[in-house]
Amino acid sequence: MHFRFTTAGESHGPALVAIVEGLPAGLPVTAAFVDAQLARRMQGYGRGARMQIEQDRIEWMGGVRSGETLGSPVAMRIANRDWANWKDVMDPEGTPGEHRRRQVTRPRPGHADLVGVLKYDRDDARDILERASARETAARVAAGALARRLLEEFGVGIGSHVVSLGGVRAEPPAALPSPLNDAADRSPLRVLDPHAERAMRGRIDEAKAAGDTLGGEVEVVAEGLVPGLGSHVSWDRKLDGRLASLLMSIPAVKGVEIGLGFEAARRPGSAVHDPILPEPVRGASVRIGYDRLTNHAGGLEGGMSTGEPLVVRVAMKPISTLMTPLATVDLGTGQAAAAQSERSDVTAVPAMGVIAEAMVAIVLADAMLEKFGGDSLGELRRNVEGYVAALRARRAGA
Amino acid sequence: MHFRFTTAGESHGPALVAIVEGLPAGLPVTAAFVDAQLARRMQGYGRGARMQIEQDRIEWMGGVRSGETLGSPVAMRIANRDWANWKDVMDPEGTPGEHRRRQVTRPRPGHADLVGVLKYDRDDARDILERASARETAARVAAGALARRLLEEFGVGIGSHVVSLGGVRAEPPAALPSPLNDAADRSPLRVLDPHAERAMRGRIDEAKAAGDTLGGEVEVVAEGLVPGLGSHVSWDRKLDGRLASLLMSIPAVKGVEIGLGFEAARRPGSAVHDPILPEPVRGASVRIGYDRLTNHAGGLEGGMSTGEPLVVRVAMKPISTLMTPLATVDLGTGQAAAAQSERSDVTAVPAMGVIAEAMVAIVLADAMLEKFGGDSLGELRRNVEGYVAALRARRAGA
Amino acid sequence: MHFRFTTAGESHGPALVAIVEGLPAGLPVTAAFVDAQLARRMQGYGRGARMQIEQDRIEWMGGVRSGETLGSPVAMRIANRDWANWKDVMDPEGTPGEHRRRQVTRPRPGHADLVGVLKYDRDDARDILERASARETAARVAAGALARRLLEEFGVGIGSHVVSLGGVRAEPPAALPSPLNDAADRSPLRVLDPHAERAMRGRIDEAKAAGDTLGGEVEVVAEGLVPGLGSHVSWDRKLDGRLASLLMSIPAVKGVEIGLGFEAARRPGSAVHDPILPEPVRGASVRIGYDRLTNHAGGLEGGMSTGEPLVVRVAMKPISTLMTPLATVDLGTGQAAAAQSERSDVTAVPAMGVIAEAMVAIVLADAMLEKFGGDSLGELRRNVEGYVAALRARRAGA
Amino acid sequence: MHFRFTTAGESHGPALVAIVEGLPAGLPVTAAFVDAQLARRMQGYGRGARMQIEQDRIEWMGGVRSGETLGSPVAMRIANRDWANWKDVMDPEGTPGEHRRRQVTRPRPGHADLVGVLKYDRDDARDILERASARETAARVAAGALARRLLEEFGVGIGSHVVSLGGVRAEPPAALPSPLNDAADRSPLRVLDPHAERAMRGRIDEAKAAGDTLGGEVEVVAEGLVPGLGSHVSWDRKLDGRLASLLMSIPAVKGVEIGLGFEAARRPGSAVHDPILPEPVRGASVRIGYDRLTNHAGGLEGGMSTGEPLVVRVAMKPISTLMTPLATVDLGTGQAAAAQSERSDVTAVPAMGVIAEAMVAIVLADAMLEKFGGDSLGELRRNVEGYVAALRARRAGA
C-alpha cells in the first residue's frame, strides 16, 4: 500500500481540501491534533496580518468515525476565513467583470504569475497565484499531520529547527534536544540559538523597514525509524529521491540536502562515511544491535533508512512579494511596470519548517506502508514488530 | 503522455536493461548516439581499471526499426563485459556454494550493504551491492540519451560541468560556453577552470595514495526550453520536485539545488528575484518577448520552466569503497572488522555530471510529453510550434 | 497529462467529495450542469425513499472561478442531506457507545460487510458499508460530469440505455436515437422498448412484493471520437482495459463487454470483423475518410478508438440488501442469523447507466489529455484540430 | 509494495523483454518453471506453423542469483527464434528500402493496423502490428509465471479451461477438478468435456478449410486466497476492476465477467447472493471459519476476495488475420483491396486461457504485496500467517 494525498483549493477561495488514503483502519485521530499542526504553521516572527485572520481548523468530511480512521480516504476541509471578503472576486460562478477589481496584471518576479498566465492562457495572474500561493501548504500540513499521527504509534518523532535566516547562521547545540519541537516551538523563530535569534529578529525588522523579504534554512530530524525503509533497487523507490521530491516541491524551496549534504562533497571519504560498530554506543540504532559513532549520512544509506536519525536540510528563498516592488511588465500594456504587491510576510522560514516536517512525515508513512502493508493498525503493528524481532534474532545469532 | 523508464540488472550480472516508453513514433535514433553518452559516463581522471573493461554498447531489443522509434517501448540491453569472469559467482541458477567465493560479509559504511541485508534478509551483501552499485546508472544514461535525442529536436541542449571536487572549487567563466559540453568534455575532469583542475588532479593523486576517495559538485544546464513545463497546481507536478527526485536518487548524491539554491536562502528578496523586462536584452527568453537581466531562479518559477536556462547543482559524496578500509562489523561473527574493499575509483564526480544530465533530460522530456502529448514526432512538433506561436501572438497583441 | 480523480466520504457521513485534476484551464462549467447529472443518477422506477432525500447538489471548493476551470484541481462537495439524522451515529469524534445504536453485525451476503470487517479488523460492519455503499457513485458522477463537459467541447456525446432488467430483455431500435439520452431519459427505466419496459415494471413490482431485488444490463455509447485514443503498445494504455477497469469497479457490476462482446466469441471471424470501406457510407467515421458497414468491434481496435461509436455493455447484479433477508452469521455470537436489512431500492439499473456513462467519460477525457496534452482549452483544441486536419490531408494524399 | 511489470519487443524483432518488480527476495525461481508456462501458451489444436518455430525460453538478465530472487527487478529476455529470417525487414538500424519488402498497406479489419498507422503517422502497418501482435503475450506469461511462483508459496493455485469455442459450449463437471490444470492441460483444447471438444475440433477443421477463424470463452479459477485482497475504499483498489483491466487488455478479448457475471443480471437477488454459514460445509473458506453453499459472487464481494475460489470468464473474438481476407482499403492507393494475410492460427482460445491465468496471477500477487508488504519471502510469510491467525482467533472468540 501507499500513502496517497491530494490537495485542492485556492488561497482566497471558499476552502482548502486534503484527501489522504492508505492510513490503516483504527488509527486514533482528532481534529485538535491536526489543528495543532496548522497552528504551528502560522507562527513565526515576521508574519503579516493574514496569519491572524487564518485560524485554521479542519472539518472532517470522510474517513473518520468515533475518533478512528476507517481505512477509507480521509477528507478534510479547511475553510478560508477571509472568504466572505473575497466572495465577489473569487466566486466560482460570478461574472468576470466583478473579478477585474482584483485583477493582477503586473506579475511578481520569483512567483508563478508570469509563466502561469502564459502556460494556462489567462489574462489575470490571480487565476494562477491563488493556487500557487503558499496557502496550499495548509492542506499539506493537514495531510502530514495524519502521517505524523501514524508514525507516532511506532515511536517515530519528527521535528525541525531554523538553522539560518536572512544570512544569520544559528549554532544549535551539538546534541539536539529530543523531542526537538518541545524546544524549537518555544522560540518565536524556531531557532535553538538565542544569540542568533536576536540577530535574525534584527534582520527581519530591517527588511521590513526596507520593504524587503528574507529566506533561510531549516533542518528536519526524524527519530525512531526502523532500518530498511525505502529501497536501493529502483530509482523511484529510493527514500532520498522521494524526500527530495516532496521537499523541493514546497513553494520557494530551492535546495535540499541530506546528512552532511553539500559538505559531504568537500570532504574525503574517510571523513564522511560512518563506521559501523558491533555494540550499541550512542544507542540510536540499538534496535538492531549495531551502532555508529557519527551520522554523516543523515540516516540514509543506499536510499534506505539506517535506523539512525533522518536529517535533511531545506533552503527557502525570500518571499516573492515585496512591499518595495521589483521591476516587471504590465501584461495589458506590454510596458515596464512595478510588480503588484499585496500585504505580505517578511519571512516564512519558521513556518516552512513545519511544512517540511509534514513532507517528511508523508514520505516516511508511505515507506512504512510500502514495506509493511497492513489494513488495520493492529496488523501494521504486528508486521512491524515481527520485522524488528527478526532483526534482533538475527543479530543475536550472528 | 508521460516518459516512463525502468531499469534492471546487476553490476556483475549478464547485462543491464533499460525500457523507455512515451517517445513519439518517428524519432531518429542510433545506437551510436546512445553509446556516445555511455562513453562520456566512463570518462574522468581518477577512475579505476573497471572503466577500461566497460566499453558499454547498447543493443536494441525493441521499439526501434530502420533508425526510428515506433511509439512502442524501446528496450536496450547493455552487456556486462566482465560477465564471463563472474559467471560462477553470479549465475542465476548456480549453486549457492559457488557464490561463497565472493561473499561480502563486512559491509562498507556509506553503502547499501548493511541495511540492505537486514531489509531483504540476505547473508551475502553481494546480493545487495550488485544492484546498489553505480553501474546501474549506465542504464539510466541510456534511457536519458533517448530523452536527450527527443529534446534535441526541439532545440533543447543539456550540458554539465564540475564546479567542485575534493574541496577544490572551480571558477567557471561568468558566461558559460554554449554548447556547454563542447568545452566540458575536453577537460579530463569536466572542469571549466584549468587552474582548479590542476589542483583537483593533485587532490585525486593524494587521495589515491592515501587509499581515500573524493566527492564534488556538478552543475547541469539545460537551454532552449519553452516556458510552462511543469505546473504549480499540484505538488507532484512541480518541475523542481521532479528534478530533485531523480537527481537525489543518483547513488551517492546528498544534495540538490536549483538556481541560487542555498545561496538564495541567505540574500534578501531584492537580490534574489529576477526582474522582468519588456524587451529582449540577453536574448535567452526571446521566444516569448520578455527577458530577465539575471537568472537566479535557475529557470524555474512556481515549479514551471520560465524559458531561461535551467540550472541545477548536485552534490556527490565520496565513493564508499575505500582502499584503506573503514571500521565495520563482520556479519558472520558479529565482531569488529575492516570493511570489504574491491578495486574502485578515487572519484566519479565527472561521470556523475553525465548521469545528472540524463536525469534532467528525462524530467524535461516527460514534461514535454505531459504538456504537448503527441504520438508522432510530427504531431509533437505541431503542438509545440502552435504553443510558441500563440505565445508570440499574445505578446504582440499586448 | 492525465485525468486524475479521487473521491472520499461515507454514505451517512457529512459529505461526499470529489477532486478532479487535469482539466485544461478555461473550460466553462456550472454547478447546474453537474447537478443535472446527479439528478439523472437518482431517477428510475424501483428506487426507494432515499432518492427523495438525496437532492444532490455540488458546492465548488476549488479550481473554478467565474464559471471557468483554472487548470488547478477542481474540488466538489456533495452534502449528505440526511446527515443531521445520522450525526450521532456517524460523528467523526463521537463516543463509540453512541454508535452501537446502528451497529451492523449481521453481514449481508453479496456486500462488502463480512470481508470488510475481517480485512480492516472492525466489529461494526457499518464502518465498511458506509464507504462500500453505492452512494459513493454520486462523487464519481460529479467527476464524470466534468469529463463529459470537456468531451462536449470536442463533439463527443455519451449516452446509455437499459437493455435488460430482471431477466426481461429490451429490443432497442436497430439505429439508436442520437443523442441517445434525449430518448432514454424520457423513460422511467431508461429503456428504448416500451413493451419491454412494461414487463420490467411488472417484475419490479413483483420483486418488491417478494422483498427481492433485481439486476440488469446497460449499454453505453460514445459518439464523435477521433481515432487513435488509447494505444496498443502497453497493456495499461489499451483503452479497452482502461474502460473495463473503471466499469467493473462500479459497485455490483459483474460483467463488462465491448462491441459484440461475448457474442463475438461465438461467431466466425468473417462475421465479426468490420470491413473497411474506401468511402464514407454510414458517415460515422467521415472525419478520416474511411468507413465501416458494421461496428461489431464497438469502436475499438487494438485498444484504440477507431472513430466509430464506442459501445460497451455492463451487467449489474441485484442489490445486496433484501427486505426478505438472506441467511448469514451474527458476528457477535457466531451463530446463524438473518442479514441486516435497511430500507433499500428494488433495482438501481437505470442509475447504473448514468454511473457507467460517467466512467466512460472519465476514460475518454483521460485518453484525450494523454494524446493531446493542452493546458488551456484553446491549446487542447488547437492540438486536436491539427491532428484531425493531418488525418484528412493524409487521406486526400493517399 | 506493488507488483510492477513492463514488457517490450516486437513480434519479429530480436526479442521480447519483461521486467518484473516487487517480488520479495528469496523466492525460489527457475527458468524451467517460466518456460513451462511459455510452453503451455503455445499449445492448442488449431495453431499454425509459427508455434513450432517458437520454442520460447527465457534468459535471465537480472534480479535472480543462485535460483532465488534478490528483491531487485527481474528482467527476462525471450529471443525470437525467427529473428534471423526477419533481420533485414526488422533491423533497428537498417535502411527503410529493405523494409518495403514486407510492408503492410492493406490493414486487417479487427486489428490495430488502420488506427495504428493513423495515430502514429506511419506508412507501413508493420510498424504497428509487430507490437500489437499477440506475440507480446509471451512476455506477459513470463511475468505472470513469477507471480504464480509467489502465489504457490501461499497455497494459491490458478488454472483455466475453455468453456466455449467456435460457438460450441462445453459442459464442464459441476465440481471442477483440483488442481484444474492437471486435467485441462491434458486436453488439446483445454476443455473438460470430451464430447464438446470433439465438436470444437470439427469446427476448427471447417473454419480452416474456409479460411476463417474462431473465438471462444475461457474460465480462470484461483483457489486458496485469503479473504481481504483488494479494497472497497477506492475505485482503483477494487480487485474486480483490476482484474478486468488486465484481462480486457489481452489482445482480442472483448468481454470479462466475474462469478455469475451477465447471468447475475438476469436473476433475482435471492438467487444470486451467497448465504453465509456459521460452520464449514464445503470447506472452501475453512480458514476463517465461515462458509458458503454457493459461490455465485466468484470469490469477490465489495471488490475484495472472500476466500472462496476466484472465478472469472473471458471472451475472445476470432483472430483478425483470415486466410480468406476481408475487404479493406489500400493505404497507398486509397482504393478498395483485400486485407493482407500471413499464415496464422485458426484459433488461439486455449492459449488465451494461459495468458488470462497470467493476468490473474499478476493481479493477485499485486494485491498480496499491497496488503502484506514484505521484502523477503520470510517477511511476507510472517505477515500473511499473522493475518490468518488473527482471523482464526477472532472467529474463535466470536
Side-chain angles (χ1 to χ4, degrees):
Chain A
M1 191 48 214
H2 277 279
F3 185 98
R4 314 199 282 197
F5 86 102
T6 306
T7 75
E10 274 69 39
S11 177
H12 297 99
L16 295 173
V17 188
I19 299 182
V20 165
E21 187 173 337
L23 292 172
L27 178 72
V29 294
T30 62
F33 182 88
V34 179
D35 292 347
Q37 293 299 322
L38 293 174
R40 292 181 64 232
R41 194 190 72 95
M42 291 184 272
Q43 302 310 306
Y45 188 79
R47 312 298 299 275
R50 173 111 197 236
M51 292 303 109
Q52 273 70 56
I53 298 172
E54 288 179 15
Q55 288 171 319
D56 287 333
R57 297 269 182 277
I58 64 143
E59 171 197 341
W60 301 114
M61 293 191 293
V64 174
R65 186 183 178 211
S66 190
E68 283 190 6
T69 54
L70 296 174
S72 52
V74 176
M76 297 173 283
R77 184 179 186 278
I78 305 171
N80 284 327
R81 298 275 170 137
D82 213 16
W83 166 236
N85 299 325
W86 283 84
K87 208 164 179 175
D88 290 348
V89 172
M90 291 298 295
D91 189 351
E93 304 210 5
T95 56
E98 189 58 40
H99 298 182
R100 304 284 176 196
R101 280 198 301 127
R102 303 292 284 260
Q103 195 180 6
V104 174
T105 59
R106 291 171 285 126
R108 292 160 297 171
H111 217 293
D113 299 1
L114 176 59
V115 62
V117 296
L118 298 177
K119 177 183 175 80
Y120 289 99
D121 195 20
R122 311 305 294 168
D123 61 7
D124 181 356
R126 181 163 302 285
D127 289 351
I128 305 303
L129 65 89
E130 284 284 336
R131 178 67 188 162
S133 159
R135 172 95 187 112
E136 185 263 346
T137 59
R140 296 199 197 195
V141 169
L146 298 179
R148 180 190 294 269
R149 189 67 271 295
L150 179 67
L151 293 166
E152 272 187 355
E153 293 280 341
F154 298 93
V156 177
I158 301 175
S160 70
H161 61 120
V162 171
V163 293
S164 123
L165 197 158
V168 179
R169 181 154 294 279
E171 296 289 342
L176 290 177
S178 176
L180 177 51
N181 281 346
D182 282 4
D185 284 348
R186 273 199 296 269
S187 147
L189 286 175
R190 314 199 70 257
V191 175
L192 300 183
D193 170 351
H195 187 74
E197 184 166 39
R198 230 168 358 248
M200 290 170 182
R201 293 174 73 143
R203 291 278 171 94
I204 291 172
D205 294 340
E206 289 163 28
K208 186 169 192 180
D212 214 331
T213 55
L214 298 175
E217 287 168 63
V218 160
E219 182 172 82
V220 183
V221 180
E223 293 181 288
L225 298 171
V226 296
L229 300 180
S231 175
H232 67 289
V233 301
S234 284
W235 68 266
D236 59 350
R237 295 177 57 201
K238 296 187 75 176
L239 209 57
D240 34 22
R242 290 150 75 175
L243 286 161
S245 166
L246 269 84
L247 290 168
M248 195 72 96
S249 80
I250 300 173
V253 166
K254 301 298 277 188
V256 175
E257 59 180 9
I258 298 172
L260 279 184
F262 278 83
E263 172 64 20
R266 290 161 206 146
R267 296 191 186 178
S270 54
V272 166
H273 306 298
D274 306 301
I276 302 169
L277 307 178
E279 300 298 338
V281 173
R282 290 155 68 239
S285 315
V286 65
R287 307 181 192 222
I288 52 164
Y290 301 110
D291 207 346
R292 314 270 186 148
L293 277 180
T294 54
N295 181 25
H296 295 150
L300 289 180
E301 284 179 336
M304 293 173 279
S305 62
T306 60
E308 293 284 316
L310 178 75
V311 181
V312 298
R313 267 178 312 280
V314 183
M316 183 189 205
K317 70 177 181 182
I319 289 170
S320 303
T321 307
L322 278 68
M323 294 308 290
T324 304
L326 298 168
T328 191
V329 173
D330 188 301
L331 293 173
T333 65
Q335 303 302 309
Q340 216 112 346
S341 69
E342 305 188 9
R343 219 168 324 164
S344 172
D345 302 336
V346 172
T347 189
V349 174
M352 191 270 284
V354 177
I355 301 161
E357 290 173 32
M359 298 296 94
V360 169
I362 285 172
V363 172
L364 294 177
D366 182 46
M368 290 283 287
L369 298 174
E370 181 188 23
K371 175 158 183 48
F372 297 111
D375 290 306
S376 65
L377 183 60
E379 183 178 17
L380 177 53
R381 193 183 305 281
R382 189 170 59 228
N383 294 352
V384 173
E385 291 177 354
Y387 173 68
V388 171
L391 291 185
R392 283 212 184 100
R394 177 192 171 110
R395 182 69 183 98
Chain B
M1 193 46 217
H2 278 278
F3 184 98
R4 312 198 282 197
F5 86 103
T6 306
T7 75
E10 274 69 39
S11 178
H12 296 99
L16 295 172
V17 189
I19 299 182
V20 166
E21 187 172 338
L23 292 172
L27 178 71
V29 293
T30 62
F33 182 89
V34 179
D35 292 346
Q37 294 299 321
L38 292 175
R40 293 181 63 233
R41 194 190 73 96
M42 292 184 272
Q43 302 309 307
Y45 188 80
R47 311 298 298 276
R50 173 110 196 236
M51 291 302 110
Q52 272 71 53
I53 298 171
E54 288 179 14
Q55 287 171 322
D56 286 334
R57 299 265 182 278
I58 63 142
E59 172 198 338
W60 301 114
M61 291 191 293
V64 174
R65 185 183 179 212
S66 192
E68 283 189 5
T69 54
L70 297 175
S72 51
V74 177
M76 296 173 284
R77 183 178 185 280
I78 305 172
N80 284 328
R81 298 276 170 136
D82 213 16
W83 167 235
N85 299 325
W86 283 83
K87 209 164 177 176
D88 290 347
V89 173
M90 292 298 295
D91 189 351
E93 304 208 5
T95 56
E98 190 57 41
H99 298 183
R100 303 285 175 194
R101 279 199 300 127
R102 303 292 283 260
Q103 195 180 6
V104 175
T105 58
R106 289 168 287 126
R108 293 160 297 172
H111 217 293
D113 299 0
L114 175 59
V115 61
V117 296
L118 298 178
K119 176 183 175 79
Y120 289 99
D121 194 20
R122 310 306 293 167
D123 60 7
D124 181 355
R126 181 163 302 286
D127 289 351
I128 304 304
L129 65 90
E130 284 285 333
R131 178 68 188 162
S133 159
R135 173 96 188 114
E136 184 262 348
T137 59
R140 296 200 197 196
V141 168
L146 298 179
R148 180 190 293 267
R149 189 68 271 293
L150 179 68
L151 294 166
E152 272 188 356
E153 293 281 338
F154 297 93
V156 177
I158 301 175
S160 70
H161 61 120
V162 170
V163 293
S164 125
L165 198 157
V168 179
R169 180 154 294 278
E171 294 289 341
L176 290 177
S178 175
L180 176 53
N181 281 346
D182 283 4
D185 284 348
R186 274 200 295 270
S187 148
L189 285 176
R190 315 200 69 257
V191 175
L192 300 182
D193 171 350
H195 187 74
E197 186 166 38
R198 225 162 7 241
M200 290 169 182
R201 293 174 74 145
R203 290 279 170 95
I204 291 172
D205 294 340
E206 288 163 29
K208 187 168 190 179
D212 213 331
T213 56
L214 299 175
E217 287 168 62
V218 159
E219 182 172 82
V220 183
V221 180
E223 292 182 290
L225 298 172
V226 297
L229 301 179
S231 175
H232 67 290
V233 302
S234 284
W235 68 266
D236 58 350
R237 293 177 58 201
K238 297 187 77 176
L239 209 57
D240 33 22
R242 289 151 74 175
L243 287 162
S245 164
L246 269 85
L247 291 167
M248 195 71 97
S249 79
I250 299 173
V253 165
K254 300 299 278 188
V256 175
E257 58 179 9
I258 297 171
L260 280 184
F262 278 83
E263 171 64 21
R266 291 159 205 148
R267 298 188 186 180
S270 53
V272 165
H273 306 299
D274 308 299
I276 302 169
L277 308 177
E279 301 297 339
V281 173
R282 292 156 65 239
S285 317
V286 66
R287 308 181 191 221
I288 53 163
Y290 301 107
D291 208 346
R292 313 272 185 145
L293 277 181
T294 53
N295 181 26
H296 295 149
L300 290 180
E301 284 178 339
M304 293 173 279
S305 62
T306 61
E308 293 284 317
L310 178 75
V311 181
V312 297
R313 266 179 313 282
V314 183
M316 183 189 206
K317 70 176 181 183
I319 289 171
S320 304
T321 308
L322 277 69
M323 294 307 291
T324 303
L326 298 169
T328 190
V329 172
D330 188 301
L331 294 173
T333 65
Q335 302 302 311
Q340 214 113 347
S341 68
E342 306 189 8
R343 220 170 323 164
S344 171
D345 302 336
V346 172
T347 189
V349 174
M352 190 269 284
V354 177
I355 301 161
E357 290 174 32
M359 297 298 93
V360 169
I362 285 171
V363 173
L364 293 176
D366 182 47
M368 290 283 286
L369 297 174
E370 181 187 24
K371 174 159 182 49
F372 297 112
D375 290 306
S376 64
L377 184 60
E379 183 177 18
L380 178 53
R381 194 182 304 284
R382 189 170 61 229
N383 294 354
V384 172
E385 291 176 354
Y387 173 68
V388 171
L391 291 185
R392 283 211 183 98
R394 177 191 172 111
R395 181 67 181 99
Chain C
M1 192 48 216
H2 278 278
F3 185 98
R4 311 198 284 197
F5 86 102
T6 305
T7 74
E10 274 69 40
S11 177
H12 296 98
L16 295 173
V17 188
I19 299 183
V20 165
E21 187 171 339
L23 293 172
L27 177 71
V29 293
T30 61
F33 182 88
V34 179
D35 292 347
Q37 294 298 321
L38 292 175
R40 291 181 65 232
R41 193 190 74 96
M42 291 185 271
Q43 302 309 306
Y45 189 80
R47 311 298 298 276
R50 173 109 196 237
M51 292 302 111
Q52 271 72 52
I53 298 171
E54 288 178 13
Q55 289 171 323
D56 286 334
R57 299 266 181 279
I58 64 143
E59 171 198 340
W60 301 113
M61 291 191 293
V64 174
R65 185 183 179 212
S66 192
E68 283 189 4
T69 54
L70 297 175
S72 51
V74 177
M76 297 174 283
R77 184 179 185 278
I78 306 172
N80 285 326
R81 298 278 170 135
D82 212 15
W83 167 235
N85 299 325
W86 284 82
K87 208 165 177 175
D88 290 347
V89 172
M90 293 298 295
D91 189 351
E93 304 208 5
T95 56
E98 190 58 41
H99 297 184
R100 303 284 175 195
R101 280 200 298 126
R102 303 292 283 259
Q103 195 181 5
V104 174
T105 58
R106 289 170 286 126
R108 292 159 297 170
H111 217 293
D113 299 0
L114 175 59
V115 61
V117 295
L118 298 178
K119 176 183 175 78
Y120 288 99
D121 195 20
R122 310 306 292 168
D123 61 6
D124 181 355
R126 180 164 302 286
D127 288 352
I128 305 303
L129 66 89
E130 284 285 334
R131 179 65 188 163
S133 158
R135 173 97 187 112
E136 184 262 348
T137 59
R140 295 200 196 196
V141 168
L146 297 180
R148 181 190 294 268
R149 189 67 272 294
L150 179 67
L151 293 166
E152 272 188 355
E153 293 280 339
F154 298 93
V156 177
I158 300 175
S160 70
H161 61 121
V162 171
V163 293
S164 126
L165 199 158
V168 179
R169 182 154 292 280
E171 294 289 342
L176 290 178
S178 174
L180 177 52
N181 280 347
D182 283 4
D185 284 349
R186 275 199 295 270
S187 148
L189 286 175
R190 315 199 70 256
V191 176
L192 300 183
D193 170 351
H195 187 74
E197 185 166 39
R198 228 166 359 247
M200 290 169 183
R201 295 174 72 144
R203 291 279 171 95
I204 292 171
D205 293 341
E206 288 163 28
K208 186 168 191 179
D212 213 332
T213 56
L214 298 176
E217 288 168 63
V218 159
E219 183 172 81
V220 182
V221 181
E223 293 182 290
L225 298 171
V226 296
L229 300 179
S231 175
H232 67 289
V233 302
S234 284
W235 68 266
D236 58 351
R237 294 177 58 202
K238 297 187 75 176
L239 209 55
D240 33 22
R242 290 151 73 176
L243 286 162
S245 165
L246 270 84
L247 290 167
M248 195 72 96
S249 79
I250 300 172
V253 165
K254 300 299 278 190
V256 175
E257 58 180 9
I258 297 171
L260 280 184
F262 278 83
E263 171 64 20
R266 290 161 205 148
R267 295 189 189 181
S270 54
V272 165
H273 306 299
D274 307 300
I276 303 168
L277 307 177
E279 301 296 339
V281 174
R282 291 156 66 239
S285 315
V286 65
R287 307 181 191 221
I288 53 164
Y290 302 108
D291 209 345
R292 313 271 186 146
L293 277 180
T294 53
N295 181 25
H296 295 149
L300 288 180
E301 284 179 339
M304 293 173 279
S305 62
T306 61
E308 295 282 318
L310 178 75
V311 182
V312 297
R313 267 179 312 282
V314 184
M316 183 188 206
K317 71 177 181 181
I319 289 171
S320 304
T321 308
L322 278 69
M323 295 307 290
T324 304
L326 297 169
T328 191
V329 172
D330 189 300
L331 294 173
T333 64
Q335 302 302 312
Q340 213 113 347
S341 69
E342 304 188 9
R343 221 171 323 167
S344 171
D345 301 336
V346 172
T347 190
V349 175
M352 191 270 285
V354 177
I355 301 160
E357 290 174 33
M359 297 297 94
V360 169
I362 285 171
V363 173
L364 294 176
D366 181 48
M368 291 283 285
L369 298 174
E370 180 188 24
K371 175 159 183 48
F372 297 112
D375 290 307
S376 66
L377 184 60
E379 184 177 17
L380 177 54
R381 193 183 305 284
R382 189 170 61 231
N383 294 353
V384 172
E385 290 177 354
Y387 172 67
V388 171
L391 291 185
R392 283 211 183 100
R394 175 191 173 112
R395 182 68 182 101
Chain D
M1 190 48 215
H2 278 279
F3 184 99
R4 313 198 282 197
F5 84 103
T6 306
T7 75
E10 275 68 40
S11 177
H12 296 98
L16 296 173
V17 189
I19 299 182
V20 165
E21 188 172 338
L23 292 172
L27 178 71
V29 293
T30 62
F33 183 87
V34 179
D35 292 346
Q37 294 299 322
L38 293 175
R40 292 181 64 232
R41 194 191 72 95
M42 292 184 271
Q43 302 309 306
Y45 189 80
R47 310 299 299 274
R50 174 109 196 236
M51 292 303 110
Q52 271 71 53
I53 298 171
E54 288 177 15
Q55 288 171 322
D56 287 334
R57 298 267 181 279
I58 63 143
E59 172 196 340
W60 301 113
M61 291 191 295
V64 174
R65 185 183 178 211
S66 191
E68 282 189 6
T69 53
L70 296 174
S72 52
V74 177
M76 296 174 284
R77 185 179 184 277
I78 305 172
N80 284 326
R81 298 275 170 137
D82 213 16
W83 167 235
N85 300 325
W86 283 83
K87 207 164 179 178
D88 290 348
V89 172
M90 292 298 295
D91 188 352
E93 302 210 6
T95 56
E98 190 58 41
H99 298 183
R100 302 285 174 195
R101 280 199 299 127
R102 303 293 283 261
Q103 195 181 6
V104 175
T105 59
R106 290 169 285 127
R108 291 160 298 171
H111 217 292
D113 299 1
L114 176 59
V115 62
V117 296
L118 298 176
K119 176 183 177 79
Y120 288 99
D121 195 20
R122 312 305 294 167
D123 59 8
D124 182 355
R126 181 163 302 287
D127 288 352
I128 305 303
L129 65 89
E130 285 284 336
R131 178 68 188 160
S133 159
R135 172 96 187 112
E136 184 262 346
T137 57
R140 296 200 196 195
V141 168
L146 298 180
R148 180 190 294 269
R149 190 66 270 295
L150 179 66
L151 293 166
E152 271 188 356
E153 294 280 341
F154 298 92
V156 177
I158 302 176
S160 71
H161 61 119
V162 171
V163 293
S164 123
L165 197 158
V168 180
R169 182 154 292 280
E171 295 289 343
L176 290 178
S178 176
L180 176 52
N181 281 347
D182 282 3
D185 284 349
R186 274 199 295 270
S187 148
L189 286 176
R190 316 198 69 257
V191 175
L192 300 182
D193 170 351
H195 187 74
E197 186 166 37
R198 231 169 355 251
M200 290 171 183
R201 293 174 73 145
R203 289 280 169 95
I204 291 171
D205 293 340
E206 288 164 28
K208 187 168 192 181
D212 214 333
T213 55
L214 298 176
E217 287 168 63
V218 159
E219 183 171 81
V220 182
V221 181
E223 293 180 288
L225 299 170
V226 297
L229 301 179
S231 176
H232 67 288
V233 301
S234 283
W235 67 267
D236 59 351
R237 293 178 58 201
K238 297 187 75 176
L239 208 57
D240 34 22
R242 290 152 72 176
L243 286 162
S245 166
L246 269 85
L247 290 168
M248 195 71 97
S249 79
I250 299 173
V253 165
K254 301 298 278 188
V256 175
E257 59 180 10
I258 297 171
L260 280 184
F262 278 83
E263 172 65 19
R266 290 160 205 147
R267 296 191 187 178
S270 54
V272 165
H273 306 299
D274 307 300
I276 303 169
L277 307 178
E279 300 298 339
V281 174
R282 290 156 67 239
S285 314
V286 66
R287 306 179 192 225
I288 51 164
Y290 302 107
D291 208 345
R292 313 271 186 148
L293 277 181
T294 54
N295 180 25
H296 295 150
L300 290 180
E301 284 178 337
M304 294 173 278
S305 62
T306 59
E308 294 282 317
L310 177 74
V311 182
V312 297
R313 267 178 313 281
V314 183
M316 184 189 206
K317 71 177 180 180
I319 289 170
S320 302
T321 307
L322 278 69
M323 294 307 290
T324 303
L326 297 169
T328 190
V329 172
D330 188 302
L331 293 173
T333 65
Q335 303 302 310
Q340 214 112 348
S341 69
E342 306 187 9
R343 221 167 326 164
S344 171
D345 301 336
V346 172
T347 189
V349 174
M352 191 270 282
V354 177
I355 302 160
E357 290 173 32
M359 298 296 95
V360 169
I362 286 171
V363 172
L364 293 177
D366 182 46
M368 290 282 287
L369 297 174
E370 181 187 24
K371 175 158 182 49
F372 297 111
D375 290 308
S376 65
L377 184 60
E379 184 177 16
L380 178 53
R381 194 183 305 283
R382 189 172 59 231
N383 295 353
V384 173
E385 290 176 355
Y387 174 67
V388 172
L391 291 185
R392 282 212 184 101
R394 177 191 172 110
R395 181 68 181 99

